[in-house]
Amino acid sequence: MQSLSQFLAAHVASSSLQEVLLVTTETCKEISAALKKGSLAGILGMAGNENVQGEEQKKLDVISNNMLKNALLACPSVRAIASEEEDDIVPAHTTGEYLISFDPLDGSSNIDINSMVGTIFSLYRTTGDHPATEVEFLRPGKEQVAAGYVLYGPSTMLVFTTGNGVNMFTLDIDQGEFLLTHENVKVAAETQEFAINMSNQRFWSDAMQAYVSDLVLGKDGPRGKNYNMRWVAAMVGDVHRILCRGGIFIYPWDKKDPTKAGKLRLMYEANPMAMLIENAGGKAFTHTQRILDIQPEGIHQRVPVILGAANEVDKCLSY
Ligand code: FBP
């Protein structure tokens, strides 16, 4: 089986992009090992601080953030990083070619229940020789040069794209290598499976309420077919299921907190997942526009997310 470094050598021309991807994934192997120790290593529970978004940080949010931050800041090909757990961007090397945004531990509410979590990353290329600025990060998702995630589940899996299809690698813990296990993954245009946090239903727009209730009506309703529902409460887990067997994932705008455009963050959740889904033949939209066309306004900006099976996303948007 082809290893990640062999795959990168064969498919990624830029040696510095290879380097940043290898530094990121090597660090994720260490995060995977830490997660497997769990309580034994005393790393579960709260860290006792809040991040810039006012969310209580888990110990592992801080630990995984520091592991990635330290490894990436030491990498000469990195110009700067942006993270869910960092208030501002953190400059690295003025001649570094790549800007990397990441969610060090997505789905952190799942940590203490030993359920699926993941690391999500998004890369942009930059030029010149100068200290990075936040503005340099604020480019539409369609300019990403690479995006992916590492899923910490029963097995640890790396899923990424550089714009030429989506490939999946499984961590062989004996060899300590990511090995290519699923090539050129595609998402079917039709589906009978949806993912949304139903407990927020009363806060959704009328259109979203109508769309979801028609799904729930199943074959007796206007959609004429039965739908199943799943919710991992970790975007990385829900998107992985969709890349494996199809489906639609929705975290819509809701009036629970009208000041927020959505829950999920554009730069290190929506954009990288949108690049993966589109490269697998699916679609990724807010209620009004293609996610990869959004001009970002800030590194922690939130957006509504509707992604997955192309025809089902179109159907949802038609409401
Ligand atoms: P973080 O854990 O990185 O803050 O991510 C947000 C998230 O956990 C997503 O992964 C997931 O899709 C969503 O929030 C779950 O939200 P809810 O708690 O409403 O089910």
Side-chain angles (χ1 to χ4, degrees), residues 7 21 106 119-123 141-142 144-151 157-169 182 184-188 235-244 266 268-284 290-292 307-310:
F7 179 89
L21 289 169
D106 175 60
T119 296
I120 309 174
F121 57 88
S122 159
L123 276 95
K142 59 189 169 202
Q144 292 173 100
V145 292
Y149 59 78
V150 173
L151 175 69
M157 293 189 72
L158 163 67
V159 180
F160 78 101
T161 182
T162 54
N164 308 306
V166 174
N167 295 285
M168 299 184 171
F169 299 73
H182 307 73
N184 208 14
V185 170
K186 293 295 175 198
V187 173
M235 186 186 196
V236 67
D238 284 305
V239 169
H240 190 72
R241 186 188 57 254
I242 289 172
L243 288 169
C244 291
L266 175 62
Y268 40 80
E269 290 173 325
N271 266 341
M273 295 307 198
M275 186 179 183
L276 286 168
I277 290 289
E278 286 204 7
N279 268 275
K283 285 189 174 180
R290 178 181 174 237
I291 286 174
L292 295 181
L307 62 75

Short mmCIF file of all heavy atoms in Angstrom, two decimals, residues 7 21 106 119-123 141-142 144-151 157-169 182 184-188 235-244 266 268-284 290-292 307-310:
data_model
loop_
_atom_site.label_atom_id
_atom_site.label_comp_id
_atom_site.label_asym_id
_atom_site.label_seq_id
_atom_site.Cartn_x
_atom_site.Cartn_y
_atom_site.Cartn_z
N PHE A 7 2.77 9.05 -1.71
CA PHE A 7 1.64 9.67 -2.44
C PHE A 7 1.95 11.14 -2.72
O PHE A 7 1.78 11.63 -3.84
CB PHE A 7 0.35 9.55 -1.62
CG PHE A 7 -0.85 10.16 -2.27
CD1 PHE A 7 -1.66 9.42 -3.13
CD2 PHE A 7 -1.19 11.49 -2.03
CE1 PHE A 7 -2.77 10.00 -3.74
CE2 PHE A 7 -2.30 12.08 -2.64
CZ PHE A 7 -3.08 11.33 -3.49
N LEU A 21 2.22 19.60 4.81
CA LEU A 21 1.25 18.50 5.00
C LEU A 21 1.84 17.41 5.89
O LEU A 21 1.16 16.87 6.76
CB LEU A 21 0.81 17.95 3.65
CG LEU A 21 -0.10 18.87 2.82
CD1 LEU A 21 -0.25 18.35 1.39
CD2 LEU A 21 -1.47 19.00 3.48
N ASP A 106 -11.85 19.32 16.57
CA ASP A 106 -13.25 19.56 16.24
C ASP A 106 -14.14 18.54 16.94
O ASP A 106 -13.80 17.37 17.03
CB ASP A 106 -13.45 19.45 14.73
CG ASP A 106 -14.90 19.57 14.33
OD1 ASP A 106 -15.49 20.63 14.63
OD2 ASP A 106 -15.46 18.58 13.82
N THR A 119 -9.10 16.77 13.69
CA THR A 119 -8.34 18.00 13.41
C THR A 119 -8.65 18.38 11.97
O THR A 119 -8.58 17.53 11.08
CB THR A 119 -6.83 17.74 13.56
OG1 THR A 119 -6.53 17.42 14.92
CG2 THR A 119 -6.02 18.95 13.14
N ILE A 120 -9.04 19.66 11.74
CA ILE A 120 -9.38 20.12 10.40
C ILE A 120 -8.36 21.18 9.98
O ILE A 120 -8.00 22.03 10.79
CB ILE A 120 -10.80 20.72 10.35
CG1 ILE A 120 -11.84 19.80 10.98
CG2 ILE A 120 -11.19 21.07 8.91
CD1 ILE A 120 -13.23 20.42 11.09
N PHE A 121 -7.87 21.14 8.72
CA PHE A 121 -6.88 22.11 8.29
C PHE A 121 -7.18 22.64 6.89
O PHE A 121 -7.82 21.97 6.08
CB PHE A 121 -5.47 21.52 8.36
CG PHE A 121 -5.27 20.27 7.55
CD1 PHE A 121 -4.89 20.33 6.22
CD2 PHE A 121 -5.47 19.01 8.13
CE1 PHE A 121 -4.71 19.17 5.47
CE2 PHE A 121 -5.29 17.85 7.39
CZ PHE A 121 -4.91 17.93 6.06
N SER A 122 -6.70 23.87 6.63
CA SER A 122 -6.94 24.57 5.37
C SER A 122 -5.68 25.36 5.02
O SER A 122 -5.14 26.06 5.89
CB SER A 122 -8.11 25.55 5.55
OG SER A 122 -8.09 26.56 4.57
N LEU A 123 -5.19 25.22 3.78
CA LEU A 123 -3.93 25.89 3.39
C LEU A 123 -4.11 26.83 2.21
O LEU A 123 -4.82 26.51 1.26
CB LEU A 123 -2.87 24.85 2.99
CG LEU A 123 -2.07 24.24 4.13
CD1 LEU A 123 -2.69 22.94 4.56
CD2 LEU A 123 -0.64 24.01 3.70
N GLY A 141 -12.53 30.70 -0.10
CA GLY A 141 -12.13 29.29 0.04
C GLY A 141 -11.69 28.66 -1.27
O GLY A 141 -10.91 27.71 -1.27
N LYS A 142 -12.16 29.18 -2.40
CA LYS A 142 -11.77 28.60 -3.70
C LYS A 142 -10.29 28.81 -3.98
O LYS A 142 -9.73 28.19 -4.87
CB LYS A 142 -12.64 29.16 -4.83
CG LYS A 142 -12.58 30.66 -5.00
CD LYS A 142 -13.63 31.14 -5.98
CE LYS A 142 -13.75 32.65 -5.92
NZ LYS A 142 -15.05 33.12 -6.43
N GLN A 144 -8.00 28.04 -1.69
CA GLN A 144 -7.26 27.06 -0.89
C GLN A 144 -6.43 26.17 -1.83
O GLN A 144 -6.92 25.78 -2.89
CB GLN A 144 -8.21 26.17 -0.08
CG GLN A 144 -8.96 26.87 1.03
CD GLN A 144 -10.00 25.92 1.64
OE1 GLN A 144 -9.80 25.31 2.71
NE2 GLN A 144 -11.12 25.79 0.98
N VAL A 145 -5.21 25.81 -1.41
CA VAL A 145 -4.41 24.89 -2.22
C VAL A 145 -4.49 23.47 -1.67
O VAL A 145 -4.13 22.51 -2.36
CB VAL A 145 -2.93 25.35 -2.29
CG1 VAL A 145 -2.79 26.64 -3.08
CG2 VAL A 145 -2.34 25.50 -0.90
N ALA A 146 -4.93 23.34 -0.43
CA ALA A 146 -5.12 22.02 0.17
C ALA A 146 -6.05 22.15 1.36
O ALA A 146 -6.10 23.22 1.99
CB ALA A 146 -3.79 21.42 0.60
N ALA A 147 -6.78 21.06 1.66
CA ALA A 147 -7.68 21.05 2.81
C ALA A 147 -7.92 19.61 3.22
O ALA A 147 -7.84 18.70 2.38
CB ALA A 147 -9.00 21.72 2.45
N GLY A 148 -8.19 19.41 4.51
CA GLY A 148 -8.45 18.05 4.96
C GLY A 148 -8.70 17.96 6.43
O GLY A 148 -8.83 18.98 7.13
N TYR A 149 -8.80 16.72 6.90
CA TYR A 149 -8.97 16.48 8.33
C TYR A 149 -8.33 15.16 8.70
O TYR A 149 -8.10 14.31 7.85
CB TYR A 149 -10.45 16.48 8.71
CG TYR A 149 -11.32 15.45 8.02
CD1 TYR A 149 -11.32 14.11 8.40
CD2 TYR A 149 -12.14 15.81 6.95
CE1 TYR A 149 -12.10 13.17 7.76
CE2 TYR A 149 -12.93 14.88 6.29
CZ TYR A 149 -12.92 13.55 6.71
OH TYR A 149 -13.69 12.62 6.05
N VAL A 150 -8.05 15.01 9.98
CA VAL A 150 -7.68 13.73 10.55
C VAL A 150 -8.78 13.37 11.53
O VAL A 150 -9.10 14.18 12.40
CB VAL A 150 -6.30 13.75 11.22
CG1 VAL A 150 -6.04 12.43 11.95
CG2 VAL A 150 -5.20 14.00 10.18
N LEU A 151 -9.40 12.22 11.31
CA LEU A 151 -10.50 11.77 12.16
C LEU A 151 -9.95 10.79 13.19
O LEU A 151 -9.29 9.80 12.81
CB LEU A 151 -11.55 11.07 11.29
CG LEU A 151 -12.72 10.42 12.01
CD1 LEU A 151 -13.63 11.46 12.64
CD2 LEU A 151 -13.51 9.53 11.05
N MET A 157 -7.90 8.30 10.68
CA MET A 157 -7.88 8.42 9.22
C MET A 157 -7.58 9.86 8.80
O MET A 157 -8.06 10.81 9.43
CB MET A 157 -9.21 7.98 8.62
CG MET A 157 -9.48 6.48 8.80
SD MET A 157 -10.91 5.95 7.86
CE MET A 157 -10.26 6.02 6.18
N LEU A 158 -6.79 9.97 7.75
CA LEU A 158 -6.48 11.26 7.13
C LEU A 158 -7.24 11.33 5.81
O LEU A 158 -7.20 10.39 5.01
CB LEU A 158 -4.98 11.37 6.85
CG LEU A 158 -4.53 12.44 5.85
CD1 LEU A 158 -4.78 13.85 6.39
CD2 LEU A 158 -3.06 12.24 5.47
N VAL A 159 -7.94 12.44 5.61
CA VAL A 159 -8.69 12.64 4.36
C VAL A 159 -8.32 14.03 3.86
O VAL A 159 -8.43 14.99 4.60
CB VAL A 159 -10.21 12.55 4.61
CG1 VAL A 159 -10.99 12.77 3.32
CG2 VAL A 159 -10.57 11.21 5.25
N PHE A 160 -7.80 14.13 2.62
CA PHE A 160 -7.45 15.46 2.14
C PHE A 160 -7.53 15.58 0.63
O PHE A 160 -7.65 14.57 -0.08
CB PHE A 160 -6.06 15.89 2.64
CG PHE A 160 -4.89 15.28 1.91
CD1 PHE A 160 -4.21 16.00 0.95
CD2 PHE A 160 -4.48 13.98 2.20
CE1 PHE A 160 -3.12 15.45 0.29
CE2 PHE A 160 -3.40 13.42 1.53
CZ PHE A 160 -2.71 14.16 0.58
N THR A 161 -7.49 16.83 0.17
CA THR A 161 -7.48 17.13 -1.26
C THR A 161 -6.53 18.28 -1.51
O THR A 161 -6.36 19.13 -0.65
CB THR A 161 -8.88 17.50 -1.78
OG1 THR A 161 -8.80 17.73 -3.19
CG2 THR A 161 -9.42 18.75 -1.08
N THR A 162 -5.92 18.27 -2.71
CA THR A 162 -5.15 19.42 -3.17
C THR A 162 -5.80 19.96 -4.45
O THR A 162 -5.15 20.57 -5.27
CB THR A 162 -3.68 19.01 -3.45
OG1 THR A 162 -3.69 17.90 -4.35
CG2 THR A 162 -2.96 18.64 -2.18
N GLY A 163 -7.09 19.59 -4.59
CA GLY A 163 -7.84 20.10 -5.73
C GLY A 163 -7.99 19.09 -6.86
O GLY A 163 -8.62 19.37 -7.88
N ASN A 164 -7.39 17.90 -6.66
CA ASN A 164 -7.53 16.84 -7.69
C ASN A 164 -8.12 15.60 -7.05
O ASN A 164 -7.46 14.56 -6.95
CB ASN A 164 -6.16 16.49 -8.29
CG ASN A 164 -5.45 17.73 -8.75
OD1 ASN A 164 -6.00 18.49 -9.53
ND2 ASN A 164 -4.27 17.97 -8.20
N GLY A 165 -9.33 15.73 -6.55
CA GLY A 165 -9.98 14.55 -5.96
C GLY A 165 -9.66 14.40 -4.49
O GLY A 165 -8.78 15.08 -3.96
N VAL A 166 -10.39 13.50 -3.84
CA VAL A 166 -10.28 13.30 -2.39
C VAL A 166 -9.75 11.89 -2.13
O VAL A 166 -10.27 10.91 -2.70
CB VAL A 166 -11.67 13.47 -1.72
CG1 VAL A 166 -11.59 13.12 -0.24
CG2 VAL A 166 -12.18 14.89 -1.93
N ASN A 167 -8.73 11.77 -1.29
CA ASN A 167 -8.16 10.47 -0.96
C ASN A 167 -8.12 10.26 0.54
O ASN A 167 -7.99 11.24 1.30
CB ASN A 167 -6.75 10.36 -1.56
CG ASN A 167 -6.79 10.37 -3.08
OD1 ASN A 167 -7.16 9.39 -3.71
ND2 ASN A 167 -6.45 11.53 -3.65
N MET A 168 -8.29 9.01 0.95
CA MET A 168 -8.32 8.68 2.37
C MET A 168 -7.17 7.74 2.73
O MET A 168 -6.87 6.81 1.97
CB MET A 168 -9.63 7.98 2.74
CG MET A 168 -10.88 8.80 2.49
SD MET A 168 -12.34 7.93 3.07
CE MET A 168 -13.59 9.20 2.90
N PHE A 169 -6.56 8.00 3.87
CA PHE A 169 -5.44 7.21 4.37
C PHE A 169 -5.78 6.71 5.78
O PHE A 169 -6.40 7.44 6.55
CB PHE A 169 -4.17 8.06 4.44
CG PHE A 169 -3.70 8.60 3.11
CD1 PHE A 169 -4.39 9.64 2.49
CD2 PHE A 169 -2.59 8.07 2.48
CE1 PHE A 169 -3.98 10.14 1.26
CE2 PHE A 169 -2.17 8.55 1.25
CZ PHE A 169 -2.87 9.59 0.63
N HIS A 182 -8.42 4.55 0.43
CA HIS A 182 -9.59 4.87 -0.40
C HIS A 182 -9.20 5.98 -1.37
O HIS A 182 -8.88 7.08 -0.93
CB HIS A 182 -10.77 5.35 0.45
CG HIS A 182 -11.17 4.43 1.58
ND1 HIS A 182 -10.41 4.31 2.72
CD2 HIS A 182 -12.24 3.61 1.73
CE1 HIS A 182 -11.01 3.45 3.55
NE2 HIS A 182 -12.10 3.01 2.97
N ASN A 184 -9.79 8.59 -4.67
CA ASN A 184 -10.75 9.32 -5.49
C ASN A 184 -12.20 9.11 -5.06
O ASN A 184 -13.06 8.71 -5.84
CB ASN A 184 -10.58 8.95 -6.96
CG ASN A 184 -11.01 10.11 -7.85
OD1 ASN A 184 -11.17 11.24 -7.35
ND2 ASN A 184 -11.27 9.84 -9.10
N VAL A 185 -12.47 9.42 -3.82
CA VAL A 185 -13.79 9.22 -3.20
C VAL A 185 -14.82 10.14 -3.82
O VAL A 185 -14.51 11.31 -4.11
CB VAL A 185 -13.66 9.51 -1.68
CG1 VAL A 185 -15.01 9.56 -1.01
CG2 VAL A 185 -12.74 8.51 -1.01
N LYS A 186 -16.04 9.62 -4.07
CA LYS A 186 -17.12 10.42 -4.66
C LYS A 186 -18.37 10.37 -3.79
O LYS A 186 -18.64 9.34 -3.16
CB LYS A 186 -17.46 9.90 -6.06
CG LYS A 186 -16.35 10.10 -7.09
CD LYS A 186 -16.11 11.57 -7.35
CE LYS A 186 -14.92 11.80 -8.28
NZ LYS A 186 -14.42 13.21 -8.18
N VAL A 187 -19.13 11.49 -3.76
CA VAL A 187 -20.39 11.55 -3.02
C VAL A 187 -21.54 11.47 -4.01
O VAL A 187 -21.60 12.26 -4.95
CB VAL A 187 -20.50 12.87 -2.23
CG1 VAL A 187 -21.87 13.02 -1.60
CG2 VAL A 187 -19.43 12.95 -1.16
N ALA A 188 -22.45 10.51 -3.81
CA ALA A 188 -23.59 10.34 -4.72
C ALA A 188 -24.47 11.60 -4.69
O ALA A 188 -24.58 12.26 -3.65
CB ALA A 188 -24.42 9.13 -4.28
N MET A 235 -18.48 17.85 13.39
CA MET A 235 -18.59 18.02 11.94
C MET A 235 -17.69 17.04 11.20
O MET A 235 -18.09 16.45 10.19
CB MET A 235 -18.22 19.45 11.56
CG MET A 235 -18.44 19.78 10.11
SD MET A 235 -17.81 21.43 9.72
CE MET A 235 -18.63 21.74 8.15
N VAL A 236 -16.49 16.80 11.73
CA VAL A 236 -15.54 15.91 11.08
C VAL A 236 -16.12 14.50 10.93
O VAL A 236 -15.95 13.86 9.91
CB VAL A 236 -14.20 15.93 11.86
CG1 VAL A 236 -14.36 15.30 13.22
CG2 VAL A 236 -13.07 15.38 11.07
N GLY A 237 -16.87 14.06 11.94
CA GLY A 237 -17.48 12.72 11.89
C GLY A 237 -18.65 12.67 10.92
O GLY A 237 -18.80 11.71 10.15
N ASP A 238 -19.48 13.74 10.91
CA ASP A 238 -20.64 13.77 10.00
C ASP A 238 -20.18 13.88 8.55
O ASP A 238 -20.72 13.22 7.65
CB ASP A 238 -21.57 14.92 10.38
CG ASP A 238 -22.40 14.61 11.63
OD1 ASP A 238 -23.10 13.58 11.62
OD2 ASP A 238 -22.34 15.40 12.61
N VAL A 239 -19.15 14.71 8.28
CA VAL A 239 -18.66 14.85 6.90
C VAL A 239 -17.98 13.56 6.44
O VAL A 239 -18.15 13.14 5.29
CB VAL A 239 -17.70 16.06 6.78
CG1 VAL A 239 -16.99 16.07 5.45
CG2 VAL A 239 -18.48 17.36 6.98
N HIS A 240 -17.27 12.90 7.36
CA HIS A 240 -16.62 11.63 6.98
C HIS A 240 -17.67 10.60 6.55
O HIS A 240 -17.49 9.91 5.54
CB HIS A 240 -15.79 11.08 8.14
CG HIS A 240 -14.92 9.93 7.74
ND1 HIS A 240 -13.80 10.09 6.96
CD2 HIS A 240 -15.05 8.60 7.96
CE1 HIS A 240 -13.24 8.91 6.73
NE2 HIS A 240 -13.99 7.99 7.32
N ARG A 241 -18.80 10.53 7.31
CA ARG A 241 -19.86 9.59 6.93
C ARG A 241 -20.37 9.91 5.53
O ARG A 241 -20.58 9.03 4.70
CB ARG A 241 -21.03 9.65 7.94
CG ARG A 241 -22.10 8.62 7.72
CD ARG A 241 -23.33 8.83 8.60
NE ARG A 241 -23.89 10.15 8.40
CZ ARG A 241 -23.76 11.14 9.29
NH1 ARG A 241 -23.12 10.95 10.43
NH2 ARG A 241 -24.26 12.34 9.05
N ILE A 242 -20.52 11.23 5.24
CA ILE A 242 -21.04 11.62 3.93
C ILE A 242 -20.05 11.24 2.82
O ILE A 242 -20.44 10.74 1.77
CB ILE A 242 -21.36 13.13 3.92
CG1 ILE A 242 -22.60 13.38 4.80
CG2 ILE A 242 -21.58 13.65 2.50
CD1 ILE A 242 -22.92 14.84 5.05
N LEU A 243 -18.75 11.40 3.08
CA LEU A 243 -17.75 11.00 2.07
C LEU A 243 -17.72 9.48 1.91
O LEU A 243 -17.37 8.97 0.86
CB LEU A 243 -16.37 11.53 2.47
CG LEU A 243 -16.18 13.04 2.31
CD1 LEU A 243 -14.88 13.50 2.97
CD2 LEU A 243 -16.19 13.45 0.83
N CYS A 244 -18.14 8.75 2.95
CA CYS A 244 -18.13 7.28 2.88
C CYS A 244 -19.41 6.72 2.27
O CYS A 244 -19.36 5.78 1.48
CB CYS A 244 -17.96 6.70 4.28
SG CYS A 244 -16.32 6.98 4.96
N LEU A 266 -16.00 29.68 9.29
CA LEU A 266 -15.72 29.64 7.85
C LEU A 266 -14.31 29.14 7.56
O LEU A 266 -14.11 28.23 6.74
CB LEU A 266 -15.89 31.03 7.24
CG LEU A 266 -15.53 31.19 5.77
CD1 LEU A 266 -16.40 30.32 4.87
CD2 LEU A 266 -15.62 32.67 5.37
N TYR A 268 -11.81 27.51 9.22
CA TYR A 268 -11.19 26.23 9.58
C TYR A 268 -12.21 25.11 9.82
O TYR A 268 -11.87 24.07 10.35
CB TYR A 268 -10.27 26.39 10.80
CG TYR A 268 -10.80 27.30 11.88
CD1 TYR A 268 -11.74 26.85 12.78
CD2 TYR A 268 -10.37 28.62 11.96
CE1 TYR A 268 -12.25 27.69 13.75
CE2 TYR A 268 -10.87 29.48 12.93
CZ TYR A 268 -11.79 29.00 13.83
OH TYR A 268 -12.30 29.82 14.80
N GLU A 269 -13.45 25.36 9.42
CA GLU A 269 -14.47 24.29 9.39
C GLU A 269 -15.17 24.28 8.02
O GLU A 269 -14.99 23.35 7.24
CB GLU A 269 -15.47 24.46 10.54
CG GLU A 269 -14.87 24.16 11.91
CD GLU A 269 -15.78 24.48 13.08
OE1 GLU A 269 -16.56 25.47 13.01
OE2 GLU A 269 -15.72 23.76 14.10
N ALA A 270 -15.90 25.35 7.69
CA ALA A 270 -16.72 25.32 6.47
C ALA A 270 -15.87 25.27 5.19
O ALA A 270 -16.12 24.45 4.30
CB ALA A 270 -17.64 26.54 6.45
N ASN A 271 -14.85 26.15 5.08
CA ASN A 271 -14.05 26.18 3.83
C ASN A 271 -13.34 24.85 3.54
O ASN A 271 -13.46 24.32 2.44
CB ASN A 271 -13.02 27.31 3.90
CG ASN A 271 -13.54 28.60 3.26
OD1 ASN A 271 -14.48 28.57 2.48
ND2 ASN A 271 -12.92 29.71 3.61
N PRO A 272 -12.59 24.29 4.52
CA PRO A 272 -11.92 23.02 4.18
C PRO A 272 -12.90 21.90 3.84
O PRO A 272 -12.68 21.13 2.91
CB PRO A 272 -11.10 22.72 5.43
CG PRO A 272 -11.56 23.66 6.49
CD PRO A 272 -12.16 24.83 5.81
N MET A 273 -14.03 21.82 4.60
CA MET A 273 -15.00 20.76 4.31
C MET A 273 -15.67 20.99 2.95
O MET A 273 -15.94 20.03 2.21
CB MET A 273 -16.04 20.69 5.43
CG MET A 273 -15.47 20.27 6.77
SD MET A 273 -14.52 18.73 6.68
CE MET A 273 -14.49 18.24 8.42
N ALA A 274 -15.89 22.25 2.60
CA ALA A 274 -16.49 22.56 1.30
C ALA A 274 -15.56 22.15 0.16
O ALA A 274 -16.00 21.59 -0.85
CB ALA A 274 -16.80 24.06 1.22
N MET A 275 -14.24 22.38 0.34
CA MET A 275 -13.29 21.98 -0.72
C MET A 275 -13.28 20.47 -0.87
O MET A 275 -13.28 19.95 -2.00
CB MET A 275 -11.88 22.48 -0.39
CG MET A 275 -10.89 22.24 -1.51
SD MET A 275 -9.24 22.86 -1.11
CE MET A 275 -8.37 22.51 -2.64
N LEU A 276 -13.36 19.74 0.23
CA LEU A 276 -13.40 18.26 0.16
C LEU A 276 -14.67 17.80 -0.55
O LEU A 276 -14.62 16.99 -1.49
CB LEU A 276 -13.34 17.67 1.56
CG LEU A 276 -12.01 17.70 2.29
CD1 LEU A 276 -12.19 17.36 3.76
CD2 LEU A 276 -11.02 16.73 1.64
N ILE A 277 -15.81 18.33 -0.10
CA ILE A 277 -17.10 17.87 -0.64
C ILE A 277 -17.21 18.19 -2.13
O ILE A 277 -17.64 17.35 -2.93
CB ILE A 277 -18.27 18.50 0.16
CG1 ILE A 277 -18.33 17.91 1.58
CG2 ILE A 277 -19.60 18.36 -0.57
CD1 ILE A 277 -18.80 16.45 1.64
N GLU A 278 -16.79 19.39 -2.53
CA GLU A 278 -16.85 19.74 -3.95
C GLU A 278 -15.91 18.86 -4.77
O GLU A 278 -16.25 18.43 -5.87
CB GLU A 278 -16.53 21.22 -4.17
CG GLU A 278 -17.65 22.16 -3.75
CD GLU A 278 -17.58 23.51 -4.48
OE1 GLU A 278 -16.75 23.66 -5.39
OE2 GLU A 278 -18.38 24.41 -4.12
N ASN A 279 -14.73 18.54 -4.24
CA ASN A 279 -13.80 17.68 -4.96
C ASN A 279 -14.29 16.24 -5.03
O ASN A 279 -13.77 15.43 -5.80
CB ASN A 279 -12.42 17.73 -4.32
CG ASN A 279 -11.55 18.80 -4.96
OD1 ASN A 279 -10.92 18.57 -5.97
ND2 ASN A 279 -11.60 20.00 -4.38
N ALA A 280 -15.30 15.92 -4.21
CA ALA A 280 -15.90 14.58 -4.26
C ALA A 280 -17.23 14.61 -5.03
O ALA A 280 -18.00 13.65 -4.98
CB ALA A 280 -16.12 14.06 -2.85
N GLY A 281 -17.51 15.74 -5.69
CA GLY A 281 -18.69 15.84 -6.55
C GLY A 281 -19.94 16.34 -5.85
O GLY A 281 -21.03 16.37 -6.44
N GLY A 282 -19.82 16.76 -4.57
CA GLY A 282 -20.97 17.28 -3.84
C GLY A 282 -21.04 18.79 -3.92
O GLY A 282 -20.31 19.41 -4.71
N LYS A 283 -21.91 19.38 -3.09
CA LYS A 283 -22.07 20.84 -3.07
C LYS A 283 -22.00 21.34 -1.63
O LYS A 283 -22.33 20.59 -0.70
CB LYS A 283 -23.41 21.24 -3.69
CG LYS A 283 -23.45 21.14 -5.21
CD LYS A 283 -24.71 21.74 -5.79
CE LYS A 283 -24.63 21.76 -7.32
NZ LYS A 283 -25.84 22.36 -7.93
N ALA A 284 -21.60 22.61 -1.46
CA ALA A 284 -21.48 23.20 -0.12
C ALA A 284 -21.90 24.66 -0.19
O ALA A 284 -21.25 25.45 -0.90
CB ALA A 284 -20.06 23.07 0.40
N ARG A 290 -22.49 29.90 -2.53
CA ARG A 290 -21.50 28.81 -2.49
C ARG A 290 -20.46 29.20 -1.45
O ARG A 290 -19.92 30.31 -1.49
CB ARG A 290 -20.88 28.68 -3.89
CG ARG A 290 -19.80 27.65 -4.03
CD ARG A 290 -19.27 27.65 -5.46
NE ARG A 290 -18.12 26.76 -5.61
CZ ARG A 290 -16.93 27.17 -6.05
NH1 ARG A 290 -16.73 28.44 -6.37
NH2 ARG A 290 -15.93 26.31 -6.16
N ILE A 291 -20.18 28.31 -0.52
CA ILE A 291 -19.27 28.63 0.59
C ILE A 291 -17.89 29.06 0.07
O ILE A 291 -17.30 30.03 0.54
CB ILE A 291 -19.16 27.43 1.55
CG1 ILE A 291 -20.44 27.33 2.38
CG2 ILE A 291 -17.94 27.54 2.46
CD1 ILE A 291 -20.55 26.12 3.28
N LEU A 292 -17.38 28.38 -0.97
CA LEU A 292 -16.02 28.68 -1.46
C LEU A 292 -15.92 30.04 -2.15
O LEU A 292 -14.82 30.52 -2.44
CB LEU A 292 -15.54 27.56 -2.39
CG LEU A 292 -15.35 26.20 -1.74
CD1 LEU A 292 -14.85 25.17 -2.75
CD2 LEU A 292 -14.39 26.26 -0.55
N LEU A 307 -24.23 21.10 3.24
CA LEU A 307 -23.30 20.44 2.32
C LEU A 307 -23.60 18.95 2.17
O LEU A 307 -24.23 18.34 3.04
CB LEU A 307 -21.85 20.66 2.76
CG LEU A 307 -21.37 20.15 4.11
CD1 LEU A 307 -21.17 18.64 4.14
CD2 LEU A 307 -20.06 20.80 4.50
N GLY A 308 -23.12 18.40 1.04
CA GLY A 308 -23.26 16.98 0.80
C GLY A 308 -23.73 16.66 -0.60
O GLY A 308 -23.28 17.30 -1.56
N ALA A 309 -24.68 15.70 -0.69
CA ALA A 309 -25.19 15.22 -1.97
C ALA A 309 -25.72 16.39 -2.80
O ALA A 309 -26.60 17.13 -2.35
CB ALA A 309 -26.30 14.20 -1.72
N ALA A 310 -25.20 16.54 -4.03
CA ALA A 310 -25.49 17.73 -4.84
C ALA A 310 -26.98 17.99 -5.03
O ALA A 310 -27.46 19.11 -4.79
CB ALA A 310 -24.79 17.60 -6.19
#
